[in-house]
Amino acid sequence: MAEAEWDDLDRYFAERLLARDPEMEAVLAANAAAGLPPIDVSPLQGKFLHLLARAIRARRVLEIGTLGGYSTIWLARAVGPEGEVVTIEHQADHARIAHANIVRAGLADRVDIRVGPALDLLPRIEAERRGPFDLVFIDADKANQDLYLAWGVRLSRPGTLIIGDNVVRDGEVRDAASQNPAVQGIRRFIDLIAAEPRLSGTAIQTVGSKGWDGFAMAVVD
Ligand code: SAH
Ligand code: DHB
Ligand code: MG
């Protein structure tokens, strides 16, 4: 079965390319113990985000959708001691677990977890002049993915990298007539990348331990 093969190959890449990482393993164990859904980015994807952030020398990162802070920690490791990650999570129990994980990882001084619905908090983050961000990672409720992209652009500067997760969802995103609000949100998100003259974007399908999914990426001109 294809999925088992994707998983096997992810294991091989992870064995070769990811150092043993008790800190990250502890995050996933704590999330599982707390009953969080296992929908974090995969370890290889987490390192991919980390390397992108390092490659652009990101110092200020905005994340929408924290869950247990797994992707947050990969990004926080990339921004260096002078950097910061602002991450938004509307479920207080998720944010509490994320906070404990981030403290255990020794990264609390560079991560600011904001608790509430992203569409309420983004205007406040703008009012506080926390931007412009160097990198924006959008990974919350997919039905609002396009609205988060518009906020990402608002809080950007020329050169900001914006990444959206879960743009494939086992191929469901192909279906223009889908009744699934998540699919429609992703499709509006892709359409907004295409329509917004300040954005230049692409999308990459992925297979692996998270099945068939993908990232979209855009750079602000
Ligand atoms: N980025 C994480 C996974 C995030 S899962 C990782 O890879 O490790 C999506 C998260 O978005 C969930 O924790 C969910 O509670 C949160 N979320 C859903 N709707 C939201 C909203 N309107 N505002 C803020 N967070 C939201
Ligand atoms: C789901 C959400 C995610 O952000 C993800 O990476 C995988 C799955 C979900 O809601 O099912
Ligand atoms: Mg995701």
Side-chain angles (χ1 to χ4, degrees), residues 39-41 139-140 142 165-166 169 210 213:
I39 57 173
D40 341 68
V41 293
D139 191 21
K142 311 308 166 196
D165 196 19
N166 310 116
R169 303 185 63 101
K210 291 200 66 186
D213 211 332

Side-chain angles (χ1 to χ4, degrees), residues 39-41 63 65-67 69-71 88-91 94 116-118 137 139-141 144 148:
I39 57 173
D40 341 68
V41 293
E63 175 178 69
T66 315
L67 191 66
Y70 185 75
S71 54
I88 302 177
E89 173 55 55
H90 81 147
Q91 290 213 39
H94 294 184
F137 179 49
D139 191 21
D141 48 322
N144 286 321
Y148 300 148

Side-chain angles (χ1 to χ4, degrees), residues 30 32 51 73 143 148 220:
L51 292 176
I73 291 172
Y148 300 148
V220 181

Side-chain angles (χ1 to χ4, degrees), residues 32-185:
L36 293 192
I39 57 173
D40 341 68
V41 293
S42 73
L44 290 159
Q45 291 174 341
K47 188 162 182 190
F48 177 73
L49 295 174
H50 169 88
L51 292 176
L52 284 177
R54 278 178 48 193
I56 64 164
R57 296 181 159 74
R59 288 294 167 265
R60 274 190 292 230
V61 171
L62 173 66
E63 175 178 69
I64 307 173
T66 315
L67 191 66
Y70 185 75
S71 54
T72 318
I73 291 172
W74 276 111
L75 291 165
R77 285 176 171 182
V79 297
E82 305 302 312
E84 66 166 356
V85 178
V86 177
T87 184
I88 302 177
E89 173 55 55
H90 81 147
Q91 290 213 39
D93 51 338
H94 294 184
R96 192 166 31 76
I97 292 153
H99 182 249
N101 285 333
I102 288 159
V103 168
R104 196 178 337 92
L107 295 166
D109 55 336
R110 51 177 106 155
V111 179
D112 184 8
I113 306 178
R114 311 295 291 256
V115 185
L119 291 175
D120 292 351
L121 296 181
L122 287 161
R124 278 195 236 164
I125 288 165
E126 180 180 48
E128 290 167 14
R129 301 188 195 290
R130 296 297 292 276
F133 294 95
D134 306 311
L135 186 153
V136 179
F137 179 49
I138 303 174
D139 191 21
D141 48 322
K142 311 308 166 196
N144 286 321
Q145 186 105 335
D146 56 326
L147 303 179
Y148 300 148
L149 174 60
W151 273 104
V153 173
R154 252 181 108 96
L155 296 169
S156 72
R157 53 158 175 86
T160 294
L161 182 60
I162 301 179
I163 300 163
D165 196 19
N166 310 116
V167 300
V168 173
R169 303 185 63 101
D170 290 317
E172 248 199 289
V173 170
R174 280 177 305 168
D175 179 8
S178 170
Q179 300 294 305
N180 182 343
V183 168
Q184 290 303 334

